[in-house]
Amino acid sequence: MGIVSATLYSALGVCVNERRRMISSLPERRRGKARARRFYVVGLDFRFQTAPGWEMENLAAVAGEREVLIAPRGRGFPPFPEPPRLVIDNSLGRAPRDWELFHDYWLASDRMKNLLERLDLEGVRFVRCETRYRDGRAAPTYWLCDVIRVLDAVDEAKSVLKIEHPTPDRKVYNLSGRSSLLFKEDSVGAAHIFRLCFYPMIVCDQVVKDACKEAGMRGIGFTDTTKY
């Protein structure tokens, strides 16, 4: 009986060790897939199509004669002569959501600002707006937001896109057709949100998308970069 038991335990030990070996070697490719980050185009949630009920009352003073806010070369904000003054007027339409497109920038709520700075402080910049309702009451705080990090991180060999050269020394991406963008992990590094170098697009990773969903952020939309 002792011999049988010893033989049985020995056989079981071989099976267990073999199973461990298989488990440790089999998932190499699976672990690689699990580690692959997913990326998303950051935009608007187009379910909110109603007219915005807010305006920047001193736009001419802030933006100049053109009355259009355009980021300077290298992104960020120019020195404004006075703080942007945002007026919310419910008679014009809906109040701003957590994330709104505003000229060449974004308009972000206080909690969206806190979320983005917590996740990727070096990738974003903000300018506070003086916000009030039309009748003079204080309104929730909003910020002009800019994503300032620009990365040359698209894996062009693995992506589906058109590359054009308007001039010999200038490269741009053409994403007018069906496109699929994959990214070089070593180029993205620890960044969670960034702009593309050769196309006007903001991209984030799963961390930002999940955080916005968990926080219930409204107005922001995400599109898988592999299905753009």
Side-chain angles (χ1 to χ4, degrees), residues 103-160:
H103 298 207
D104 198 25
Y105 295 108
W106 296 88
L107 191 67
S109 66
D110 209 33
R111 64 186 194 135
M112 179 65 86
K113 172 184 181 288
N114 293 336
L115 182 148
L116 291 176
E117 287 187 329
R118 173 172 57 84
L119 295 178
D120 199 340
L121 181 62
E122 297 303 316
V124 290
R125 291 293 182 272
F126 295 90
V127 170
R128 185 182 181 121
C129 298
E130 294 180 355
T131 313
R132 63 177 174 82
Y133 290 107
R134 180 70 71 185
D135 61 9
R137 291 178 297 129
T141 300
Y142 280 88
W143 304 75
L144 287 178
C145 170
D146 193 30
V147 177
I148 63 169
R149 181 187 289 109
V150 180
L151 297 180
D152 180 6
V154 174
D155 191 331
E156 296 175 353
K158 296 180 180 179
S159 297
V160 178

Side-chain angles (χ1 to χ4, degrees), residues 39-227:
F39 295 93
Y40 301 88
V41 179
V42 177
L44 295 172
D45 184 344
F46 289 105
R47 293 177 299 175
F48 300 113
Q49 291 293 317
T50 54
W54 45 273
E55 61 185 8
M56 187 172 289
E57 68 174 3
N58 62 337
L59 182 60
V62 172
E65 293 182 357
R66 61 190 178 186
E67 295 193 21
V68 177
L69 289 174
I70 299 177
R73 192 176 185 86
R75 302 302 308 184
F77 297 96
F80 294 142
E82 59 188 65
R85 292 197 301 271
L86 191 72
V87 178
I88 300 175
D89 188 343
N90 293 330
S91 68
L92 298 178
R94 61 173 175 79
R97 311 295 184 184
D98 294 293
W99 188 251
E100 300 275 2
L101 183 63
F102 191 74
H103 298 207
D104 198 25
Y105 295 108
W106 296 88
L107 191 67
S109 66
D110 209 33
R111 64 186 194 135
M112 179 65 86
K113 172 184 181 288
N114 293 336
L115 182 148
L116 291 176
E117 287 187 329
R118 173 172 57 84
L119 295 178
D120 199 340
L121 181 62
E122 297 303 316
V124 290
R125 291 293 182 272
F126 295 90
V127 170
R128 185 182 181 121
C129 298
E130 294 180 355
T131 313
R132 63 177 174 82
Y133 290 107
R134 180 70 71 185
D135 61 9
R137 291 178 297 129
T141 300
Y142 280 88
W143 304 75
L144 287 178
C145 170
D146 193 30
V147 177
I148 63 169
R149 181 187 289 109
V150 180
L151 297 180
D152 180 6
V154 174
D155 191 331
E156 296 175 353
K158 296 180 180 179
S159 297
V160 178
L161 77 164
K162 295 178 182 178
I163 301 176
E164 299 177 350
H165 293 83
T167 61
D169 60 345
R170 181 169 172 244
K171 178 172 73 172
V172 296
Y173 294 152
N174 182 342
L175 305 183
S176 58
R178 176 135 180 114
S179 304
S180 176
L181 300 180
L182 298 175
F183 294 88
K184 296 176 288 188
E185 292 280 356
D186 56 342
S187 297
V188 176
H192 293 297
I193 190 167
F194 56 92
R195 290 179 179 273
L196 299 192
C197 189
F198 303 112
Y199 191 79
M201 175 185 287
I202 296 176
V203 173
C204 76
D205 65 1
Q206 191 75 44
V207 172
V208 173
K209 181 175 184 291
D210 288 347
C212 287
K213 181 178 180 180
E214 183 179 351
M217 294 295 179
R218 305 185 71 191
I220 192 168
F222 303 93
T223 302
D224 192 326
T225 61
T226 65
K227 303 174 183 178

